């Protein structure tokens, strides 16, 4: 009978741990491009402001970036079009003033303003989205304690380890 109680406690512990982690496992993050300033033409001496902002964030598949602006637009373009500030063939276009863009795959996304001259003045940005395999730094892959930036698979694996350890000990 005692064996049944221990198994029940272990199962309850596993279920509680999994259910308390579901929100973290399924949630994506939301970012406002440019912080409080939003998507605007940067000052003349700060033309790399958006790429600096993007490099300070860690984007993963499923995250959403929001562009807030007035009398402007945002476009996703190819790398070639980004380098030329060419807005004639966008993959994505919005001019609503409050645009959301879901990062749906790993790799680089290239954004520019569609207003003539804005891209050339620095209103452009490259967002690099990491794949789940890249979300764990190579020097931390053996860690069993999940932390910021750890992939969802690593968290689930950690939960399994905790359950097995609690069952064995």
């Amino acid at each position: 009978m005692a064996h049944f109680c221990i198994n029940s406690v272990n199962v309850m512990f596993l279920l509680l741990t999994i259910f308390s982690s579901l929100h973290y496992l399924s949630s994506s993050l939301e970012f406002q491009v440019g912080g409080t300033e939003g998507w605007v033409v940067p000052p003349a001496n700060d033309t790399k402001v958006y790429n600096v902002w993007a490099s300070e964030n860690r984007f993963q598949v499923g995250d959403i970036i929001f562009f807030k602006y007035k009398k402007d637009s945002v476009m996703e373009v190819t790398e070639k079009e980004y380098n030329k500030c060419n807005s004639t063939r966008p993959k994505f276009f919005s001019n609503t003033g409050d645009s959301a863009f879901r990062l749906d795959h790993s790799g680089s996304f290239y954004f520019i303003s569609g207003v003539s001259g804005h891209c050339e003045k620095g209103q452009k940005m490259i967002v690099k989205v990491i794949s789940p395999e890249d979300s764990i730094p190579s020097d931390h892959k053996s860690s069993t304690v999940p932390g910021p930036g750890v992939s969802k698979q690593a968290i689930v694996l950690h939960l399994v380890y905790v359950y097995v350890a609690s069952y064995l000990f």
Side-chain angles (χ1 to χ4, degrees):
M1 187 72 167
H3 184 65
F4 177 77
C5 291
I6 293 173
N7 282 339
S8 296
V9 169
N10 288 340
V11 169
M12 295 280 288
F13 176 75
L14 176 64
L15 291 174
L16 180 63
T17 305
I18 289 173
F19 286 128
S20 65
S21 302
L22 285 178
H23 174 71
Y24 178 76
L25 293 173
S26 64
S27 66
S28 59
L29 297 178
E30 299 176 352
F31 300 86
Q32 182 173 324
V33 174
T36 57
E37 294 297 315
W39 183 242
V40 297
V41 176
N45 61 348
D46 201 10
T47 59
K48 299 194 183 293
V49 66
Y50 293 108
N51 283 332
V52 169
W53 175 86
S55 69
E56 291 172 349
N57 290 288
R58 189 173 185 106
F59 301 100
Q60 296 189 35
V61 175
D63 288 348
I64 299 170
I65 54 176
F66 289 97
F67 295 84
K68 294 197 182 280
Y69 50 90
K70 295 179 181 175
K71 297 182 182 179
D72 208 321
S73 64
V74 62
M75 299 178 166
E76 182 203 5
V77 295
T78 65
E79 180 179 10
K80 182 178 177 181
E81 304 304 312
Y82 172 89
N83 290 330
K84 294 179 179 181
C85 285
N86 184 349
S87 61
T88 59
R89 293 186 295 266
K91 295 177 173 184
F92 167 84
F93 170 79
S94 181
N95 63 356
T96 63
D98 191 13
S99 306
F101 186 90
R102 181 174 296 276
L103 303 168
D104 61 358
H105 64 275
S106 61
S108 296
F109 290 81
Y110 301 89
F111 298 96
I112 64 172
S113 168
V115 174
S116 180
H118 286 198
C119 178
E120 291 81 1
K121 293 177 181 174
Q123 194 176 358
K124 61 184 189 172
M125 174 179 67
I126 302 171
V127 171
K128 295 183 180 177
V129 178
I130 59 173
S131 66
E133 297 81 34
D134 295 337
S135 65
I136 305 172
S138 60
D139 60 338
H140 289 52
K141 286 190 180 180
S142 63
S143 173
T144 58
V145 180
V150 175
S151 72
K152 294 173 185 175
Q153 292 85 356
I155 293 170
V156 171
L157 186 58
H158 174 73
L159 294 175
V160 171
Y161 286 150
V162 168
Y163 173 71
V164 170
S166 69
Y167 182 73
L168 295 174
F169 303 105

